[in-house]
Amino acid sequence: HRQTKLTSILDTPVPDSEQTITIGNDGSIIIPAVACSNPRQNTNAIICSKSFLGGMQLHCKRRDGKQAPVMLEYTFDVPQGGPYILTAFVVTVNKDQKLLVSANSEETSATIHLPYTSGMWLQSVPVTLSLVCGRNVLRFTRHAPHAGLAIKHFFLCPQ
């Protein structure tokens, strides 16, 4: 029965309505965590599910040191290039968690230090990224070992 439930969760598609990236009049951008361009569906490491806040959330499962890094990509268009402040709206139940992020083909990444939220939704510490006008790709990486992490959305604000 447990395997049937897991298979059901892994096979659940994310509705298009939950993948809408929003750009505000001030140029701010909200990227739902479930709007991944890669992977496009649930995996053994990443599960998209309903959120108690409404809508959906993405869960990066706990990984031991022997497993490959978890990687997420988001592809979106930006109306104006330049520096943007990025934060993530997250839930953690373990201390000292982080998420690496790079923009486009940059080889260097910024480290997002995630707050210990005690199971409550909180905003991460901000990092600054350089985005180009037009198409951009954000790549997030979590190297094992790491604890579980739930992400509701990413928020980008032009500086």
Side-chain angles (χ1 to χ4, degrees), residues 27-126:
S28 63
I29 302 167
I30 298 174
I31 303 172
V34 298
C36 296
S37 50
N38 187 28
R40 298 277 306 151
Q41 72 259 353
N42 290 335
T43 69
N44 286 332
I46 299 165
I47 296 176
C48 298
S49 61
K50 290 182 180 178
S51 172
F52 287 112
L53 294 181
M56 296 189 78
Q57 66 189 36
L58 182 142
H59 179 73
C60 295
K61 294 171 62 178
R62 183 183 66 80
R63 310 278 279 180
D64 65 32
K66 298 173 184 156
Q67 295 166 311
V70 173
M71 301 178 84
L72 303 167
E73 285 187 3
Y74 296 85
T75 303
F76 58 99
D77 292 319
V78 172
Q80 179 178 333
Y84 280 74
I85 295 171
L86 169 73
T87 58
F89 197 49
V90 300
V91 168
T92 62
V93 292
N94 295 90
K95 295 180 181 181
D96 302 321
Q97 292 201 62
K98 61 186 174 185
L99 188 59
L100 303 178
V101 61
S102 63
N104 302 310
S105 57
E106 289 181 18
E107 292 194 20
T108 58
S109 59
T111 302
I112 303 172
H113 294 278
L114 303 173
Y116 173 56
T117 72
S118 301
M120 304 300 290
W121 289 100
L122 289 177
Q123 207 76 355
S124 71
V125 174

Side-chain angles (χ1 to χ4, degrees), residues 21-31 79 84-85 154-158:
I21 296 172
T22 307
I23 300 176
N25 292 335
D26 61 355
S28 63
I29 302 167
I30 298 174
I31 303 172
Y84 280 74
I85 295 171
F154 299 99
F155 181 74
L156 289 157
C157 183

